[in-house]
Amino acid sequence: MRKSKRSGLIQMAVSCLLLEKPMHGYQIMKELADRSGDVYTPSAGTIYPVLQALQNDGYVHITEIDGKNVFELNALGKEQTIERIRDLELDDFWEEWRQVLVWKQSKEARLLKDELVLLKEQIRQGEKFVRHQPEKALSFVSLLADFRRQLEEFQKVE
């Protein structure tokens, strides 16, 4: 099962739904919106590429019922989905999924994302600077190590 950060969350959610029962695309979109508490409303442009990827990976088969394509996890898809759920070590996938969706739409997440973009660019510029002035490399490494240690301290649970 693909684990790219971009589509991984939605792909996992779709797989979890299909683990419960076969569904067609609109059912999947409706169920995801419901399970998110309407925080997230997936579009066909999101869901059908995920379903296509699952099919390409050999995890689903499609049956036409009443003119609609119904997607069902095959044995490999079920095995992979169950394994990923176990690897995530979550008590409740849907609660965690909803919390991630709420976070991604929050003001704090946008602020953090913007700052991370600036930080990455500053680090890239620092690396470029050091390439032209190698004698500054130890100072730059020291700055990065100090910052990393500060982050480690910040992340310690009190």
Side-chain angles (χ1 to χ4, degrees), residues 3 28 31 55 94 96 113 123 139:
K3 295 183 183 180
I28 293 169
E31 190 65 29
Q55 183 183 18
W94 293 110
E96 180 71 18
K113 184 178 179 181
I123 291 171
S139 294

Side-chain angles (χ1 to χ4, degrees), residues 3 33 72 90 96 101 107 118 130 155:
K3 295 183 183 180
E72 182 175 6
L90 299 174
E96 180 71 18
L101 293 173
K107 178 179 128 183
L118 295 172
V130 166
Q155 294 172 30

